[in-house]
Amino acid sequence: MSITQKPAVTLTDLSFTWADGTAAVDHLSATFGVGRTGLVGANGTGKTTVLRLIAGDLAPTSGTVTTTGDVGYLPQHITLSTGATVADLLGIHPRLAALRAIESGDADAAHFDALADDWDVEARSLAALDGIGLPGIALDRPVGTLSGGETVLTAIAGLQLSAAEVVLLDEPTNNLDHLARGKLYDAISSWRGSLIVVSHDVALLNLMQATAELRDGALSVFGGPFDAYQEHLAVEQAAAEQALRSAEQQLKTEQRQRIEAQTKLARRQRYARTDFENKRKPKIVMNMRKQEAQVSAGKLRGQLDSSVDAAQDAVDEQERRVRRDSAITIALPDPDVPAGRRLAELCDARDQGYILQGPERVALTGRNGIGKTRLLETLLAGSEQEEGSPFHALAHTTRIGYLPQRMDHLDDTSTILDDVQAAAPSAPQGELRANLARFLFRGDTINRSIGDLSGGERFRVALATLLLADPPHQLLILDEPTNNLDLQSIDELVDALSGYRGGLIVVSHDDAFLERLTIDAWITMDEEGLHRGSSSR
């Protein structure tokens, strides 16, 4: 089902500049149609800023935002006070308090004004929670007692209750386990109204009816889900590459023809000078022919130059159509991990679990809050078991690299070069510079402070520090590595890991990402212990 062409949101010559003068959005004009639209683009292109402008959370520097009705917004990080309740998160607290006051016998007119005839607000709210997969949650329950997945689902139920005609969701599946993601997918599939969803979750993006990409300050909309858009883009790029090759060939032909014509002109001029010097014809005739030849040669040169210029313009135009995204390319050092070498043991209270040996790749999955991160931290700390935990881990190597969920482990006061140098203290600076260039840090950029970097740049520093370590890590541990990464960064991570020949433990709820890593063993954690399976499902 394709998205309706009727506009839900229209951006007209929209610009937004931060207080420091940085332009986040510059003269952007675009239309989001009625229905479900996935908004994609590299980190730093301004996706979240566009959502905040549509939501009215930011005021445009210039230009306008027009919507078909009220707008609801779910930001990436839901910030609530510790005293907030489920009713607060649903956005119904004033009406619910008024209803309960009236039911208790308080006939104050202010309560009736606050309720606004929404007499079934409590019943509708409980039904919305039940419908999104959260039955039995009390409306007075503190939000602090909910899991991250429950909090997001509750907020989405609140957006459903609000009946906003346009709803914006910014990375709604971050940190959600498989169960919570499934409930979110169900809610999205049956959503009434228009949705604009920023996400790197391919499964979620494939539930969209349209895909919008923000790139190079412009927004293009394709009438289909993400996979269909990728196929369309591949065909379009193949055609653009072929058109570029044809344009380049035509340019070479025009340049060759100009050289050949110039050679012939030079030869004719040489013959003409010889005739003139030998006085083979009357002087007046010779002068007239000389002038005619000069005019004709000038016209021909002009035509040839115009043909070459036109061919060069065609090449330039086709080059603009071809995407030349920079990508990480690096040959990783061999961590020297024999096939039978024990690297780590993951066990439960029954001493059931998994022994990771050699260059194996293990996916560790399980619901939110089950203890996956705590188990990894136990492995990293070198302690066999955390007190009170039914799970324990044992490392058989000290050469372990760790990529945490957030990039807050980096020292903001350090430079890129200093941070990577600390991980590889014996590596020559020339070698480090060459390797950092492969991570897209070239020239003086390696001396930038980490605190000044964008999210995508911080990710590349973290990845460089992890993969360029000397001696190389024998075991890599990645905890929800795709959270907050754009699709290009995920591609870069997969490509970088494709050449890694050590052991790998990955915690992730992103099935598409795990499938691309060619996982050898799938370990699921639940209340009963650790279970090995053939997939994440």
Side-chain angles (χ1 to χ4, degrees):
M1 176 179 167
S2 62
I3 196 165
T4 306
Q5 292 303 311
K6 180 182 176 182
V9 176
T10 302
L11 312 179
T12 305
D13 201 26
L14 189 67
S15 296
F16 178 77
T17 303
W18 296 108
D20 65 359
T22 303
V25 178
D26 188 28
H27 298 289
L28 178 65
S29 294
T31 298
F32 293 91
V34 172
R36 302 188 300 273
T37 301
L39 177 56
V40 300
N43 283 344
T45 54
K47 302 185 298 297
T48 292
T49 304
V50 168
L51 290 194
R52 293 181 66 188
L53 287 165
I54 296 172
D57 193 37
L58 294 174
T61 304
S62 63
T64 59
V65 177
T66 306
T67 65
T68 54
D70 293 337
V71 177
Y73 177 43
L74 178 74
Q76 277 193 45
H77 307 291
I78 303 174
T79 55
L80 293 168
S81 63
T82 55
T85 65
V86 169
D88 291 314
L89 190 52
L90 290 172
I92 63 163
H93 183 270
R95 283 173 288 159
L96 183 64
L99 175 64
R100 289 179 175 173
I102 293 170
E103 289 176 339
S104 69
D106 187 344
D108 189 327
H111 298 320
F112 290 90
D113 291 339
L115 184 60
D117 292 330
D118 192 4
W119 295 96
D120 63 345
V121 60
E122 183 169 8
R124 287 191 305 106
S125 300
L126 292 173
L129 290 170
D130 183 69
I132 208 167
L134 299 175
I137 291 183
L139 298 179
D140 294 326
R141 180 173 169 178
V143 172
T145 65
L146 301 179
S147 70
E150 289 172 333
T151 301
V152 171
L153 292 175
T154 300
I156 289 175
L159 290 171
Q160 290 177 315
L161 285 170
S162 73
E165 292 190 40
V166 179
V167 169
L168 317 173
L169 306 179
D170 196 353
E171 299 286 4
T173 60
N174 276 359
N175 299 313
L176 296 192
D177 58 29
H178 286 107
L179 181 61
R181 285 191 183 212
K183 292 173 180 175
L184 174 64
Y185 297 158
D186 290 341
I188 294 297
S189 298
S190 59
W191 197 274
R192 294 181 179 179
S194 295
L195 277 173
I196 300 175
V197 182
V198 169
S199 182
H200 63 262
D201 182 339
V202 174
L204 176 59
L205 292 172
N206 279 329
L207 296 177
M208 301 295 106
Q209 296 163 296
T211 302
E213 183 180 18
L214 191 57
R215 177 186 173 87
D216 296 334
L219 193 142
S220 58
V221 181
F222 170 78
F226 183 72
D227 279 352
Y229 175 60
Q230 289 293 89
E231 292 175 6
H232 164 77
L233 197 59
V235 172
E236 183 184 75
Q237 285 299 292
E241 291 278 7
Q242 180 59 49
L244 175 59
R245 287 193 293 270
S246 297
E248 289 172 337
Q249 186 59 47
Q250 182 63 33
L251 175 60
K252 291 179 181 178
T253 299
E254 296 293 347
Q255 289 172 332
R256 185 181 66 252
Q257 289 177 347
R258 181 171 65 178
I259 292 172
E260 291 173 352
Q262 288 174 336
T263 302
K264 290 179 181 178
L265 283 173
R267 189 180 300 121
R268 289 174 184 171
Q269 288 173 343
R270 188 169 60 252
Y271 291 156
R273 283 196 302 272
T274 301
D275 287 347
F276 190 84
E277 291 168 357
N278 293 334
K279 300 179 180 179
R280 294 178 179 175
K281 293 182 175 62
K283 187 175 182 180
I284 188 171
V285 173
M286 298 288 288
N287 285 332
M288 185 180 301
R289 289 187 176 179
K290 180 180 179 182
Q291 292 175 356
E292 291 173 349
Q294 287 174 341
V295 171
S296 177
K299 288 181 179 179
L300 181 58
R301 288 192 186 95
Q303 292 170 355
L304 292 170
D305 288 344
S306 295
S307 297
V308 171
D309 290 344
Q312 182 63 62
D313 289 343
V315 169
D316 294 341
E317 181 181 351
Q318 297 306 326
E319 281 182 337
R320 286 191 290 271
R321 292 180 56 205
V322 176
R323 299 187 175 213
R324 300 297 190 198
D325 294 327
S326 299
I328 292 173
T329 55
I330 183 167
L332 298 177
D334 191 342
D336 188 25
V337 180
R341 170 77 156 87
R342 284 193 178 194
L343 296 177
E345 296 180 43
L346 307 176
C347 300
D348 57 25
R350 306 165 300 169
D351 281 334
Q352 299 292 318
Y354 186 76
I355 298 174
L356 190 152
Q357 299 184 114
E360 290 184 299
R361 300 185 170 212
V362 176
L364 183 62
T365 64
R367 67 168 179 80
N368 288 345
I370 195 63
K372 302 183 296 296
T373 296
R374 289 199 305 273
L375 181 61
L376 297 183
E377 290 172 348
T378 301
L379 183 64
L380 288 164
S383 55
E384 188 169 338
Q385 186 166 8
E386 182 180 343
E387 185 176 350
S389 173
F391 304 101
H392 57 280
L394 181 63
H396 292 283
T397 178
T398 57
R399 290 161 55 186
I400 301 176
Y402 180 48
L403 190 69
Q405 287 192 30
R406 298 179 177 85
M407 299 300 149
D408 52 6
H409 66 298
L410 299 173
D411 182 359
D412 285 351
T413 64
S414 178
T415 68
I416 297 172
L417 180 60
D418 289 342
D419 208 61
V420 177
Q421 180 82 71
S426 61
Q429 276 221 357
E431 180 181 323
L432 282 179
R433 286 175 176 272
N435 281 329
L436 281 170
R438 296 186 178 98
F439 280 88
L440 312 182
F441 295 116
R442 301 182 176 92
D444 291 338
T445 61
I446 64 174
N447 296 315
R448 289 177 63 192
S449 295
I450 291 174
D452 296 333
L453 303 180
S454 68
E457 289 168 330
R458 288 176 70 90
F459 160 72
R460 281 189 273 124
V461 173
L463 192 59
T465 303
L466 193 71
L467 299 179
L468 296 178
D470 185 21
H473 297 304
Q474 293 183 323
L475 173 63
L476 294 184
I477 299 175
L478 313 180
D479 191 0
E480 295 288 1
T482 61
N483 277 359
N484 302 312
L485 292 189
D486 58 55
L487 293 163
Q488 181 180 337
S489 296
I490 293 174
D491 289 341
E492 291 172 349
L493 178 57
V494 171
D495 290 343
L497 292 175
S498 65
Y500 179 64
R501 293 177 292 278
L504 183 66
I505 299 176
V506 185
V507 170
S508 180
H509 298 299
D510 188 338
D511 288 342
F513 168 68
L514 291 174
E515 293 291 348
R516 294 176 65 188
L517 290 181
T518 59
I519 297 297
D520 298 306
W522 301 80
I523 308 298
T524 302
M525 292 180 68
D526 61 23
E527 289 78 0
E528 296 179 359
L530 297 172
H531 312 276
R532 180 167 181 175
S534 57
S535 73
S536 62
R537 297 293 183 186

